[in-house]
Amino acid sequence: MTIANPERYRQMLESARKNGYAYPAINVSSTQTLNAALQGFADAESDGIIQVSVGAASYLSGQRVEDRVAGSLAFAAFAHEVAAKYSNITIALHTDHCAKQYLDGWVRPLLARDADEVAHGREPIFQSHMWDGSTVPLGENLDIAEDLLELSDKAHTVLEIEIGAVGGEEDGHRADIDEKLYSTPADGVEVARRLGLGERGNYMAAFTFGNVHGAYKPGVVKLRPELLGEIQREVASAAESGTLGNGRKYAAGTLHDGKPFMLVFHGGSGSSADDIAAAVRHGVVKMNVDTDTQYAFTRVVAGHMFEHYDSVLKVDGEVGEKRYYDPRSWGREAEDAMAKRVVEACVQLGSAGKALK
């Protein structure tokens, strides 16, 4: 069982929350980058999460097809097959950053497929899906989240939600780098009031604390990971005192040592080790990694092409050298480089060497 079943995935997330580490969630867009992610997790002896964004899902179906559902299912089928060869780790499959305009054509159909698998006594195809409500008002965000959480619970999957806006660019969508990048403790209380704290279904929350997608020079991104601790404490206090407003009072023992939310860290490329460690201390169990692994993969390809310029090109009437322009030659180098960056992420987040047995 290399691809997690629902129980195993919950064990993974709870282990991370309880023991103070997080899983890298590696975005992939091809079978090569998927294999690189698997190689990296195996080398690090770490469980992990592999995910596709809306753009990657479309790309995986073929650039002339552009069917997000078909691309996602093809990704999952390939992952289930090749991941089975890595018996020392457990991997969860996730769909990343589904904005409102993509719900009906992407995540809802996938949730329906997951639920159908469960109804027939099988495991869901994916282990979690993300609803990105960062571009709509909080009330509407949670209206949609409530509906998706019910569907997710029936499908035996975990829902990820985003509260607040992440700056920068992700699959062509941009958000400014301003005060909107910071969630508030009041936002956290409202999320818990509307969605509960696990009794209505399992979910992860990506509260924003200055996060920005992409790579930026030092000083541009101003993270405030202590904000996550403030949100956790405020929600835990309200839950224990019965003042969340949802008619429930939670026992202190069910609030995970004051960290009631399983948190997600988006837009972490270039973040300092101290900021990452602080975020994990405050309950981050999943950190998205995309920009850095993309660069690691492509940088090696560029180096290969520069080093073997007159072999990969038929220059001045020559014929080149097939062994250098064979995609497998530079592909292996690129996969190794990306795998090393995955190992680095596992070490930094503390998941290395902690694969569940």
Side-chain angles (χ1 to χ4, degrees), residues 16 20-22 228 259 275-285 348-349:
Y21 62 91
L228 298 179
K259 293 185 286 189
D275 281 342
I276 292 173
V280 173
R281 281 198 306 273
H282 292 310
V284 164
V285 299
Q348 190 169 46
L349 292 172

Side-chain angles (χ1 to χ4, degrees), residues 149-170:
L149 185 59
E150 182 178 354
L151 297 175
S152 180
D153 194 45
K154 291 178 180 177
H156 294 181
T157 58
V158 176
L159 180 68
E160 180 183 332
I161 63 171
E162 184 168 319
I163 305 299
V166 175
E169 183 173 343
E170 176 81 2

Side-chain angles (χ1 to χ4, degrees), residues 24-28 33 37 41 49-52 287-290 293 338 341-342 345:
I26 307 299
N27 280 76
V28 302
T33 51
F41 282 125
I49 299 166
I50 298 179
Q51 57 191 25
V52 288
M287 179 175 170
N288 288 11
V289 181
D290 187 14
T293 45
M338 181 174 160
R341 184 60 185 85
V342 173

Side-chain angles (χ1 to χ4, degrees), residues 163-179:
I163 305 299
V166 175
E169 183 173 343
E170 176 81 2
D171 274 324
H173 299 282
R174 294 194 60 83
D176 294 332
I177 302 175
D178 56 26
E179 283 302 311

Side-chain angles (χ1 to χ4, degrees), residues 255-284:
L255 297 175
H256 307 282
D257 296 322
K259 293 185 286 189
F261 288 124
M262 293 188 292
L263 300 179
V264 181
F265 187 165
H266 290 179
S269 296
S271 299
S272 71
D274 287 344
D275 281 342
I276 292 173
V280 173
R281 281 198 306 273
H282 292 310
V284 164

Side-chain angles (χ1 to χ4, degrees), residues 97-218:
H97 280 290
C98 180
K100 183 180 178 180
Q101 64 267 35
Y102 304 123
L103 276 174
D104 290 342
W106 187 32
V107 161
R108 288 188 187 276
L110 290 176
L111 274 171
R113 285 290 295 266
D114 289 332
D116 185 66
E117 292 295 312
V118 169
H120 286 85
R122 298 184 290 267
E123 305 293 351
I125 299 169
F126 284 84
Q127 286 66 58
S128 52
H129 299 280
M130 181 189 174
W131 150 235
D132 182 351
S134 61
T135 61
V136 302
L138 181 59
E140 182 182 359
N141 184 343
L142 294 177
D143 286 342
I144 295 171
E146 280 190 294
D147 177 58
L148 292 173
L149 185 59
E150 182 178 354
L151 297 175
S152 180
D153 194 45
K154 291 178 180 177
H156 294 181
T157 58
V158 176
L159 180 68
E160 180 183 332
I161 63 171
E162 184 168 319
I163 305 299
V166 175
E169 183 173 343
E170 176 81 2
D171 274 324
H173 299 282
R174 294 194 60 83
D176 294 332
I177 302 175
D178 56 26
E179 283 302 311
K180 294 180 181 178
L181 304 187
Y182 301 94
S183 301
T184 67
D187 294 335
V189 170
E190 183 63 8
V191 170
R193 184 183 75 82
R194 295 284 301 273
L195 303 183
L197 292 173
E199 70 275 7
R200 297 182 56 188
N202 293 301
Y203 68 94
M204 298 179 280
F207 292 100
T208 53
F209 53 104
N211 319 58
V212 177
H213 287 130
Y216 292 83
K217 292 183 179 180

